[in-house]
Amino acid sequence: MTSANKQKVYEIIIQKIQTEITAGILEAGEKLPPERELAVKYGVSRTSIREALRLLELSDFVEIRPGDGTFIKTNEQQTIQQQLTSVALKTDQTTLYEMLELRLILESQCAALAALRATGQDIEKIARTLEAMKNTDDEEIGIQADLDFHMAIAAAANNSVLAQLISSFASHMRSTIEVTRKHRLSSKENFARTLEEHRTIFIAISRGESDRAKVLMEDHIRTIRQELSELTI
């Protein structure tokens, strides 16, 4: 099995929690046990639990309240998001490429809309994620910053339905980022190229260049697909 289609531990935890929600074992409004108890329950590390909960929050399944805990959300979009996230967590190569095609459509449109609608606060948030992406010392920080970059652009489109659809693919996006980022960290040239791809998208959005932002995002995702194809040959 290649590194591109191995199922990550946090993905398995996401599926288990989603299954418990669907089966009614976990109900809307219910508070989840603390991370340490969940780690014991599922036999995994607290880091894996933390990653799973963060992605479930991005997908609108749970709400993390600092100092209070994690709660199952009541969400009208939850049924369709369960279906979309379930597809996103499939690990076969065909599904991976199909998801990238869907990302190509949705994220390029997000970039175009963000260039037209982003507020100053939205621009600042994207800029912070771009700055964090420069970190080469901590792999986890770099991966999370890359994911946050795409999520920040989706939010900057200021279309709540579109943002929810993008968030449904958060786990899938993280998996592809992990694979491609390892490849791109293999040399300074590769790493510089990925930073430049993200930087040019950010500049186009900050300048309100909608058509250019759309094209640059399309090119970026096509590059990801090409690299994943090469890595899984």
Side-chain angles (χ1 to χ4, degrees):
M1 183 177 291
T2 67
S3 59
N5 60 16
K6 287 182 181 177
Q7 192 172 31
K8 303 290 190 278
V9 174
Y10 64 80
E11 293 176 340
I12 297 172
I13 301 306
I14 288 172
Q15 289 178 325
K16 288 180 180 294
I17 293 176
Q18 286 178 336
T19 298
E20 291 183 15
I21 293 173
T22 303
I25 298 172
L26 295 173
E27 299 182 351
E30 182 176 345
K31 181 178 179 179
L32 289 175
E35 286 181 5
R36 63 180 180 278
E37 292 183 24
L38 289 173
V40 172
K41 175 181 178 180
Y42 295 116
V44 299
S45 69
R46 291 182 65 176
T47 298
S48 294
I49 293 295
R50 197 171 300 118
E51 290 175 350
L53 293 180
R54 179 177 174 79
L55 289 167
L56 283 168
E57 182 181 38
L58 285 171
S59 299
D60 231 18
F61 281 96
V62 303
E63 178 184 3
I64 299 176
R65 304 173 190 169
D68 197 13
T70 302
F71 296 81
I72 305 299
K73 288 194 70 172
T74 302
N75 191 329
E76 294 177 357
Q77 295 288 332
Q78 197 173 87
T79 300
I80 188 171
Q81 284 197 259
Q82 282 178 326
Q83 295 169 351
L84 287 169
T85 307
S86 177
V87 170
L89 287 172
K90 289 181 180 178
T91 56
D92 62 279
Q93 190 166 316
T94 299
T95 302
L96 181 66
Y97 290 149
E98 287 177 349
M99 289 298 299
L100 281 170
E101 286 181 354
L102 186 56
R103 279 187 62 189
L104 179 68
I105 296 167
L106 295 179
E107 289 198 67
S108 62
Q109 189 59 39
C110 280
L113 291 174
L116 298 174
R117 299 176 179 174
T119 64
Q121 187 174 7
D122 290 330
I123 296 298
E124 289 178 7
K125 184 174 182 180
I126 299 171
R128 287 197 299 271
T129 66
L130 187 60
E131 185 64 28
M133 282 180 62
K134 296 178 182 178
N135 191 311
T136 59
D137 297 326
D138 190 316
E139 183 180 351
E140 176 61 29
I141 290 176
I143 291 170
Q144 190 60 54
D146 201 325
L147 177 61
D148 288 344
F149 176 86
H150 290 273
M151 291 300 179
I153 290 175
N158 285 292
N159 180 310
S160 61
V161 176
L162 191 54
Q164 285 186 342
L165 284 172
I166 296 295
S167 71
S168 298
F169 313 141
S171 179
H172 157 76
M173 291 168 68
R174 184 185 176 93
S175 294
T176 56
I177 287 169
E178 286 177 349
V179 175
T180 55
R181 196 171 165 81
K182 286 179 181 178
H183 167 64
R184 291 178 165 194
L185 282 173
S186 64
S187 73
K188 290 183 178 180
E189 181 181 340
N190 286 342
F191 183 66
R193 180 163 54 82
T194 193
L195 276 179
E196 183 62 14
E197 286 175 18
H198 289 82
R199 189 183 71 84
T200 55
I201 293 170
F202 167 70
I203 290 173
I205 291 173
S206 65
R207 291 177 176 174
E209 298 171 349
S210 181
D211 290 342
R212 178 168 170 74
K214 182 175 186 292
V215 169
L216 289 169
M217 183 63 81
E218 288 173 342
D219 290 345
H220 173 59
I221 295 176
R222 286 194 182 102
T223 299
I224 292 173
R225 190 193 188 287
Q226 179 61 34
E227 289 184 357
L228 284 175
S229 177
E230 292 171 354
L231 289 169
T232 55
I233 290 176

